[in-house]
Amino acid sequence: MSLLRVGLFVNKEKRGAFELLLELVEYFNKEKIAFLLEDSTARLIGQRGISISRFSEEVDLILVAGGDGTIIRIAHEIFPSPVPILGVNTGSLGFLTAVSREEILPQLPNILQGRFRKSPRMVLKAVGCAYGNNFEIPCSLNDIVLFRGAFSHMATIDVFAQGNLVTEFQSDGLVVSTPTGSTAYALSTGGPIIMPESEVFTLNPICPHTLTNRSLVFPEEVTLRFSIPLGGGPVRLEYDGIAYGDLHPGDWLEIEASPKKVILGFLEERNFFEILRRKLRWSGATVEE
């Protein structure tokens, strides 16, 4: 069996990432395994690399050392490429990373032979109009958020599903979340935890003024439209933690599931419930690791 062509990216801001890079490069050189380095990663060791956007054309797997934010960044860069992203956790929580810092070298022989689980993840895309200018967000892996930001007023947002009015939300904001994002910001709003490969997405109010407002779950074929009514005041827009700008009365946003997926890699023996127990510290009298 031929080995996978691997591209390496490390987040130099993460503690221990540089040392891990040296270990990985030493391993590949010692085993005479061809690999590619991303530009900024290559410069850490005085070499030349290629842009992350070119990885999708040159490699079969992108090995990323960092945290969840690093993986999301790489997903944005290569989207809509189907090349799997496999993360080595040098961050904190690490829901999207496949292996720990200590596990990666022992697991590399299996990974390089393609013995890992590919997990296709839903991505949200959005189009909208602000100040009379159209814009597009092609890829959001976790969530798209409309919220009041630094403004003191409550956010007022009209929401429509397939052209039908859902309701006028009055709250601190709304989180539209993928299954992947259900364990991110949406979780803190009281939203449900969703199996990561499910084909649904959620609408979660942030601190709603009406206590009967609860999270809604939509099938992937639904399109949601958000509009800011007159007198509603500005609302801030972010996707995957990236600030995009403000929406004002008369502006609108449409969100739907993209037909393209982001592919994440995980160890074959690791399942979602194990990750939940480890990362969220779920426990019970009869649950043992």
mmCIF file of all heavy atoms in Angstrom, residues 5 14 22-23 39 49 68 102 104 118 130 139-140 150 163 166 197 204 211 246 255-256 263 274:
data_model
loop_
_atom_site.group_PDB
_atom_site.id
_atom_site.type_symbol
_atom_site.label_atom_id
_atom_site.label_comp_id
_atom_site.label_asym_id
_atom_site.label_seq_id
_atom_site.Cartn_x
_atom_site.Cartn_y
_atom_site.Cartn_z
ATOM 1 N N ARG A 5 0.320 11.160 0.764
ATOM 2 C CA ARG A 5 1.128 12.370 0.682
ATOM 3 C C ARG A 5 0.609 13.345 1.741
ATOM 4 O O ARG A 5 -0.569 13.688 1.750
ATOM 5 C CB ARG A 5 1.017 13.000 -0.709
ATOM 6 C CG ARG A 5 1.518 12.129 -1.848
ATOM 7 C CD ARG A 5 1.142 12.745 -3.180
ATOM 8 N NE ARG A 5 -0.311 12.863 -3.319
ATOM 9 C CZ ARG A 5 -0.920 13.595 -4.241
ATOM 10 N NH1 ARG A 5 -0.205 14.304 -5.116
ATOM 11 N NH2 ARG A 5 -2.238 13.645 -4.313
ATOM 12 N N LYS A 14 1.045 28.189 19.481
ATOM 13 C CA LYS A 14 0.705 27.188 20.480
ATOM 14 C C LYS A 14 1.962 26.635 21.141
ATOM 15 O O LYS A 14 2.955 26.348 20.479
ATOM 16 C CB LYS A 14 -0.086 26.043 19.846
ATOM 17 C CG LYS A 14 -1.431 26.470 19.275
ATOM 18 C CD LYS A 14 -2.376 26.935 20.357
ATOM 19 C CE LYS A 14 -3.748 27.283 19.802
ATOM 20 N NZ LYS A 14 -4.672 27.753 20.846
ATOM 21 N N LEU A 22 9.591 19.783 14.805
ATOM 22 C CA LEU A 22 10.912 19.175 14.671
ATOM 23 C C LEU A 22 10.835 17.656 14.753
ATOM 24 O O LEU A 22 11.507 16.937 13.994
ATOM 25 C CB LEU A 22 11.845 19.709 15.766
ATOM 26 C CG LEU A 22 12.202 21.202 15.701
ATOM 27 C CD1 LEU A 22 13.100 21.585 16.869
ATOM 28 C CD2 LEU A 22 12.864 21.547 14.370
ATOM 29 N N GLU A 23 10.017 17.143 15.657
ATOM 30 C CA GLU A 23 9.876 15.691 15.805
ATOM 31 C C GLU A 23 9.248 15.068 14.565
ATOM 32 O O GLU A 23 9.671 13.995 14.108
ATOM 33 C CB GLU A 23 9.035 15.361 17.033
ATOM 34 C CG GLU A 23 9.719 15.694 18.352
ATOM 35 C CD GLU A 23 8.842 15.335 19.539
ATOM 36 O OE1 GLU A 23 8.001 14.413 19.400
ATOM 37 O OE2 GLU A 23 8.982 15.970 20.599
ATOM 38 N N ASP A 39 3.928 27.342 4.049
ATOM 39 C CA ASP A 39 4.906 28.432 4.022
ATOM 40 C C ASP A 39 5.381 28.863 5.403
ATOM 41 O O ASP A 39 6.594 28.859 5.695
ATOM 42 C CB ASP A 39 4.317 29.655 3.298
ATOM 43 C CG ASP A 39 4.571 29.593 1.804
ATOM 44 O OD1 ASP A 39 5.569 28.969 1.397
ATOM 45 O OD2 ASP A 39 3.769 30.162 1.047
ATOM 46 N N GLY A 49 8.221 26.516 1.734
ATOM 47 C CA GLY A 49 7.034 25.683 1.678
ATOM 48 C C GLY A 49 6.094 26.155 0.590
ATOM 49 O O GLY A 49 6.465 26.918 -0.299
ATOM 50 N N ASP A 68 -8.686 23.735 18.072
ATOM 51 C CA ASP A 68 -9.863 23.762 17.208
ATOM 52 C C ASP A 68 -9.861 24.980 16.286
ATOM 53 O O ASP A 68 -10.241 24.888 15.122
ATOM 54 C CB ASP A 68 -11.132 23.766 18.057
ATOM 55 C CG ASP A 68 -11.390 22.424 18.728
ATOM 56 O OD1 ASP A 68 -10.668 21.461 18.420
ATOM 57 O OD2 ASP A 68 -12.311 22.347 19.563
ATOM 58 N N GLU A 102 1.017 13.427 22.609
ATOM 59 C CA GLU A 102 1.748 12.202 22.950
ATOM 60 C C GLU A 102 1.401 11.039 22.014
ATOM 61 O O GLU A 102 2.190 10.095 21.874
ATOM 62 C CB GLU A 102 1.441 11.798 24.399
ATOM 63 C CG GLU A 102 1.933 12.768 25.464
ATOM 64 C CD GLU A 102 1.124 14.052 25.518
ATOM 65 O OE1 GLU A 102 -0.095 14.015 25.170
ATOM 66 O OE2 GLU A 102 1.704 15.110 25.878
ATOM 67 N N ILE A 104 0.636 11.174 18.614
ATOM 68 C CA ILE A 104 0.815 11.312 17.185
ATOM 69 C C ILE A 104 1.914 10.426 16.610
ATOM 70 O O ILE A 104 1.711 9.737 15.600
ATOM 71 C CB ILE A 104 1.036 12.796 16.777
ATOM 72 C CG1 ILE A 104 1.177 12.926 15.253
ATOM 73 C CG2 ILE A 104 2.207 13.411 17.516
ATOM 74 C CD1 ILE A 104 -0.009 12.382 14.467
ATOM 75 N N LYS A 118 -12.704 9.057 8.380
ATOM 76 C CA LYS A 118 -13.031 10.336 7.752
ATOM 77 C C LYS A 118 -14.435 10.759 8.179
ATOM 78 O O LYS A 118 -15.383 9.993 8.049
ATOM 79 C CB LYS A 118 -12.957 10.230 6.234
ATOM 80 C CG LYS A 118 -11.557 9.950 5.718
ATOM 81 C CD LYS A 118 -11.536 9.834 4.202
ATOM 82 C CE LYS A 118 -10.140 9.531 3.689
ATOM 83 N NZ LYS A 118 -10.111 9.384 2.209
ATOM 84 N N ALA A 130 -25.821 44.471 3.098
ATOM 85 C CA ALA A 130 -25.612 45.468 4.150
ATOM 86 C C ALA A 130 -25.224 46.781 3.489
ATOM 87 O O ALA A 130 -24.345 46.819 2.633
ATOM 88 C CB ALA A 130 -24.515 45.016 5.115
ATOM 89 N N CYS A 139 -18.065 29.652 3.776
ATOM 90 C CA CYS A 139 -17.757 28.505 4.639
ATOM 91 C C CYS A 139 -17.746 28.899 6.096
ATOM 92 O O CYS A 139 -16.933 29.721 6.520
ATOM 93 C CB CYS A 139 -16.399 27.916 4.248
ATOM 94 S SG CYS A 139 -15.780 26.642 5.378
ATOM 95 N N SER A 140 -18.655 28.323 6.865
ATOM 96 C CA SER A 140 -18.627 28.458 8.321
ATOM 97 C C SER A 140 -18.802 27.064 8.915
ATOM 98 O O SER A 140 -19.857 26.447 8.768
ATOM 99 C CB SER A 140 -19.732 29.393 8.809
ATOM 100 O OG SER A 140 -19.658 29.561 10.217
ATOM 101 N N ALA A 150 -21.346 45.391 21.193
ATOM 102 C CA ALA A 150 -21.103 46.401 22.218
ATOM 103 C C ALA A 150 -22.296 47.318 22.419
ATOM 104 O O ALA A 150 -22.271 48.190 23.285
ATOM 105 C CB ALA A 150 -19.871 47.233 21.846
ATOM 106 N N GLY A 163 -39.381 31.077 3.670
ATOM 107 C CA GLY A 163 -40.315 32.154 3.387
ATOM 108 C C GLY A 163 -41.416 32.328 4.412
ATOM 109 O O GLY A 163 -42.200 33.281 4.333
ATOM 110 N N VAL A 166 -40.902 32.648 11.224
ATOM 111 C CA VAL A 166 -40.698 31.866 12.439
ATOM 112 C C VAL A 166 -41.169 32.702 13.623
ATOM 113 O O VAL A 166 -42.107 32.351 14.327
ATOM 114 C CB VAL A 166 -39.221 31.446 12.601
ATOM 115 C CG1 VAL A 166 -39.010 30.713 13.932
ATOM 116 C CG2 VAL A 166 -38.784 30.571 11.433
ATOM 117 N N GLU A 197 -22.011 14.236 12.394
ATOM 118 C CA GLU A 197 -22.232 13.987 10.969
ATOM 119 C C GLU A 197 -23.711 14.059 10.594
ATOM 120 O O GLU A 197 -24.096 13.679 9.491
ATOM 121 C CB GLU A 197 -21.621 12.642 10.584
ATOM 122 C CG GLU A 197 -20.091 12.660 10.699
ATOM 123 C CD GLU A 197 -19.487 11.271 10.678
ATOM 124 O OE1 GLU A 197 -20.173 10.325 10.239
ATOM 125 O OE2 GLU A 197 -18.328 11.128 11.115
ATOM 126 N N ASN A 204 -30.352 29.068 17.753
ATOM 127 C CA ASN A 204 -30.318 29.162 19.201
ATOM 128 C C ASN A 204 -30.352 30.622 19.639
ATOM 129 O O ASN A 204 -29.435 31.384 19.318
ATOM 130 C CB ASN A 204 -29.035 28.512 19.748
ATOM 131 C CG ASN A 204 -28.815 27.117 19.208
ATOM 132 O OD1 ASN A 204 -29.418 26.169 19.645
ATOM 133 N ND2 ASN A 204 -27.926 26.997 18.224
ATOM 134 N N LEU A 211 -39.140 33.824 27.548
ATOM 135 C CA LEU A 211 -38.600 32.572 28.077
ATOM 136 C C LEU A 211 -39.062 31.354 27.284
ATOM 137 O O LEU A 211 -38.455 30.288 27.381
ATOM 138 C CB LEU A 211 -38.992 32.417 29.553
ATOM 139 C CG LEU A 211 -38.386 33.455 30.511
ATOM 140 C CD1 LEU A 211 -38.853 33.198 31.939
ATOM 141 C CD2 LEU A 211 -36.868 33.441 30.438
ATOM 142 N N ASP A 246 -21.586 44.954 10.656
ATOM 143 C CA ASP A 246 -22.887 45.189 11.279
ATOM 144 C C ASP A 246 -23.996 45.182 10.236
ATOM 145 O O ASP A 246 -23.800 45.602 9.088
ATOM 146 C CB ASP A 246 -22.902 46.541 12.007
ATOM 147 C CG ASP A 246 -21.937 46.571 13.181
ATOM 148 O OD1 ASP A 246 -21.652 45.498 13.731
ATOM 149 O OD2 ASP A 246 -21.475 47.686 13.534
ATOM 150 N N ILE A 255 -29.082 32.126 5.311
ATOM 151 C CA ILE A 255 -28.151 31.069 5.704
ATOM 152 C C ILE A 255 -28.732 29.724 5.309
ATOM 153 O O ILE A 255 -29.916 29.454 5.527
ATOM 154 C CB ILE A 255 -27.893 31.091 7.229
ATOM 155 C CG1 ILE A 255 -27.286 32.422 7.659
ATOM 156 C CG2 ILE A 255 -26.982 29.932 7.631
ATOM 157 C CD1 ILE A 255 -27.126 32.554 9.172
ATOM 158 N N GLU A 256 -27.878 28.873 4.751
ATOM 159 C CA GLU A 256 -28.283 27.503 4.423
ATOM 160 C C GLU A 256 -27.064 26.591 4.476
ATOM 161 O O GLU A 256 -25.920 27.057 4.549
ATOM 162 C CB GLU A 256 -28.930 27.440 3.040
ATOM 163 C CG GLU A 256 -28.023 27.866 1.913
ATOM 164 C CD GLU A 256 -28.729 27.889 0.563
ATOM 165 O OE1 GLU A 256 -29.906 27.491 0.511
ATOM 166 O OE2 GLU A 256 -28.101 28.298 -0.429
ATOM 167 N N ILE A 263 -13.923 17.705 5.506
ATOM 168 C CA ILE A 263 -13.613 16.348 5.962
ATOM 169 C C ILE A 263 -12.566 16.418 7.072
ATOM 170 O O ILE A 263 -11.454 16.906 6.851
ATOM 171 C CB ILE A 263 -13.088 15.464 4.814
ATOM 172 C CG1 ILE A 263 -14.014 15.544 3.599
ATOM 173 C CG2 ILE A 263 -12.934 14.020 5.300
ATOM 174 C CD1 ILE A 263 -15.414 15.075 3.845
ATOM 175 N N GLU A 274 -16.842 9.228 23.472
ATOM 176 C CA GLU A 274 -15.585 9.264 24.233
ATOM 177 C C GLU A 274 -15.050 10.687 24.299
ATOM 178 O O GLU A 274 -14.568 11.142 25.340
ATOM 179 C CB GLU A 274 -14.550 8.343 23.589
ATOM 180 C CG GLU A 274 -13.201 8.345 24.307
ATOM 181 C CD GLU A 274 -12.146 7.541 23.578
ATOM 182 O OE1 GLU A 274 -12.469 6.897 22.562
ATOM 183 O OE2 GLU A 274 -10.980 7.576 24.039
#
